[in-house]
Every structure is written in C-alpha cells, then in structure tokens.
C-alpha cells in the first residue's frame, strides 16, 4: 500500500495547487521526501495548540478540522479530501496548531517536514506564491463562515452547509437535488455551531419547504443557491 502511494505521489502532488508548477525532478524529490501514514477513522492527527510544523497531504480518505470549547462541544471548520493539504500555518510560522484534525474516513497521508518544504521553496520560489493564494482562498471561506454565523438563521446555515458537503463530495445531481448520505443531528450541529434542538427545528423547516428530502439512508438537498 505504501509503495503504491509513493509511486502515485508525483501525480497526486501535481494536482495540488501549491505544487502544480514544480518540475518532474522536484516532484520526485517531494514524493520521496514524504513519510506515509495510514490512519483510521476517529484518530487525531494533531490537537489545537500542539507544537508541530509538518505539512500534510491527503492521498486518500477524509479528515475534518475542528475547534472544541471547554464543554467539549465541537465546531467543524472544514473537511479535507484527496488532493487537499493542511498544516500550512504552523509550517510557515512555527507556532502552535490552530485547530484539531480528526480522521473522518480511513485516510492515507503524506507528511512533509518543515525543513524539506523550506528547502523546496528556496529552489522553487513560485511555491510560496501558490501557497499564499491557497491560504487566501481559505481565509475567504472562513469569512463566509463568519458571515453565515452572523447573518443567517439556523435553517439557512443548515441548507448552506449541506450544499457545501454535496459539492465537496462531488455528489450526484438528480432533478435539482444533490444526493448525499444522511447525517445525524449531532454531526450537523458540529458543522454550523448550533444545538441539536436547533438542528431538529431547522430540518423540519427545510423538509416542509422541500429544500431537503429524506430518501432511505440519503438526503436530497436542493441545488438552488437561494433560500426562500
């Protein structure tokens, strides 16, 4: 399994925004310099405030970035799938981790040390520009999350996060609806920073408005961008 992902490493790195302009030679160096980790669902890669500075590349599976309050309640910031990377903030500034990363589906990760990454930037300064671009996109996404928390009610936020999940998963589209797996109220509450009771009420509204439908083990989520 490990040799398979090392063999595919060069191709996978080519699909990642910050590495797409590297030469074949540097892609090979990058792939060879990665440690490969196999992680099971529920495992923690690192905790918020941990001191570590490696960059992680997702070769397979899914992980979530979460924040926890003192009562242990979880707020999921975002998810990472094949071709995504995470850990870039601590990689650049050497400070503590800004979120806890948890494996949501069994995953295979490539781990690139800070020293190897800085060595590559010295050889290929363009990587830094692409990394800044990727970080800017993430900051815009964070701004959108903050805007949702500030200005949208729970029903609107719930519909928006279900649509984002569908797009992230590349969900099948059927007659104006995305088809995604059913999520529990606890899972949805952690995605939008609301209580399970609020999620239950919001889901009833979405079902009544036929913006979400239930179909066996799936949700059908309206693909329309506007809430009405």
């Amino acid at each position: 399994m490990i040799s398979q992902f090392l063999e595919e490493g060069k191709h996978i790195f080519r699909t990642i925004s910050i590495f797409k302009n590297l030469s074949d030679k540097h892609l090979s160096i990058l792939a060879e310099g990665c440690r490969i980790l196999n992680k099971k669902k529920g495992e923690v890669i690192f905790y918020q405030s941990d001191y570590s500075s490696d960059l992680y590349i997702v070769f397979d599976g899914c992980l979530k970035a979460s924040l926890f309050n003192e009562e242990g309640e979880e707020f999921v910031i975002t998810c990472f799938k094949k071709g995504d990377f995470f850990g870039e903030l601590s990689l650049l500034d050497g400070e503590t981790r800004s979120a806890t990363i948890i494996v949501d589906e069994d995953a295979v990760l490539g781990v690139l040390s800070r020293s190897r990454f800085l060595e590559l930037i010295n050889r290929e300064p363009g990587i830094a520009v692409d990394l800044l671009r990727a970080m800017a996109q993430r900051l815009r996404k964070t701004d959108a999350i903050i805007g949702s928390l500030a200005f949208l009610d729970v029903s609107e936020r719930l519909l928006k996060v279900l649509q984002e999940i569908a797009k992230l998963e590349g969900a099948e589209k059927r007659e104006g609806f995305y088809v995604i797996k059913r999520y529990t109220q606890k899972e949805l509450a952690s995605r939008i920073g609301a209580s399970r009771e609020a999620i239950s009420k919001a889901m009833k509204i979405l079902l009544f408005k036929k913006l979400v439908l239930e179909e066996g083990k799936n949700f059908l989520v309206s693909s329309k961008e506007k809430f009405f």
Side-chain angles (χ1 to χ4, degrees), residues 72 74 76 183-191 194-196 199:
E74 180 183 15
V76 178
Y183 286 82
T184 66
Q185 290 181 3
K186 180 180 179 181
E187 289 172 326
L188 293 174
S190 70
R191 294 282 183 132
S195 68
R196 278 186 257 186
I199 291 295

Side-chain angles (χ1 to χ4, degrees), residues 2-224:
I2 291 177
S3 61
Q4 172 192 344
F5 283 104
L6 281 174
E7 185 67 28
E8 294 178 358
K10 193 161 70 172
H11 170 71
I12 293 174
F13 283 121
R14 180 70 78 190
T15 68
I16 299 172
S17 59
I18 59 172
F19 301 127
K20 65 182 180 181
N21 295 318
L22 284 181
S23 65
D24 285 345
K25 177 183 177 181
H26 288 155
L27 285 172
S28 296
I29 293 172
L30 193 61
E32 291 167 5
C34 266
R35 291 184 291 117
I36 304 299
L37 297 180
N38 288 280
K39 293 293 182 179
K40 296 294 185 182
K41 181 175 180 177
E43 288 191 65
V44 175
I45 305 303
F46 53 72
Y47 291 93
Q48 182 181 357
S49 299
D50 276 357
Y51 278 99
S52 63
S53 57
D54 293 332
L55 180 73
Y56 292 81
I57 298 96
V58 183
F59 285 177
D60 199 20
C62 180
L63 304 95
K64 58 183 178 179
S66 299
L67 300 176
F68 292 87
N69 63 17
E70 293 181 355
E71 288 73 41
E73 295 174 323
E74 180 183 15
F75 178 65
V76 178
I77 304 170
T78 191
C79 291
F80 302 109
K81 291 210 164 192
K82 182 175 181 179
D84 289 332
F85 63 92
F86 59 89
E88 71 279 4
L89 291 181
S90 295
L91 176 87
L92 291 176
D93 64 15
E95 297 295 326
T96 58
R97 297 299 190 179
S98 59
T100 297
I101 305 294
I102 304 168
V103 181
D104 208 28
E105 297 174 6
D106 290 359
V108 180
L109 305 173
V111 187
L112 188 66
S113 70
R114 186 169 190 258
S115 59
R116 176 55 67 95
F117 183 79
L118 293 178
E119 177 187 337
L120 281 168
I121 282 185
N122 285 330
R123 295 184 186 181
E124 293 281 350
I127 296 176
V129 176
D130 287 332
L131 179 59
L132 288 172
R133 185 179 296 112
M135 291 175 66
Q137 291 171 348
R138 290 189 178 175
L139 284 173
R140 289 182 186 278
K141 186 174 181 179
T142 300
D143 287 344
I145 291 172
I146 293 170
S148 294
L149 291 172
F151 301 115
L152 301 181
D153 66 24
V154 177
S155 296
E156 292 173 300
R157 282 155 52 194
L158 180 56
L159 178 61
K160 186 171 183 179
V161 80
L162 289 172
Q163 290 174 332
E164 288 173 352
I165 288 171
K167 292 172 183 176
L168 180 67
E169 295 180 350
E172 170 195 348
K173 220 172 178 183
R174 186 196 306 166
E175 298 178 353
F177 288 86
Y178 297 111
V179 182
I180 66 172
K181 72 174 185 180
R182 290 182 76 146
Y183 286 82
T184 66
Q185 290 181 3
K186 180 180 179 181
E187 289 172 326
L188 293 174
S190 70
R191 294 282 183 132
I192 65 172
S195 68
R196 278 186 257 186
E197 293 77 12
I199 291 295
S200 177
K201 292 177 183 177
M203 184 59 75
K204 288 177 182 177
I205 292 171
L206 295 180
L207 290 169
F208 177 76
K209 290 177 175 285
K210 299 190 184 302
L211 293 171
V212 174
L213 306 176
E214 296 175 320
E215 185 185 76
K217 295 183 178 180
N218 296 322
F219 282 142
L220 302 183
V221 181
S222 173
S223 59
K224 295 179 180 178

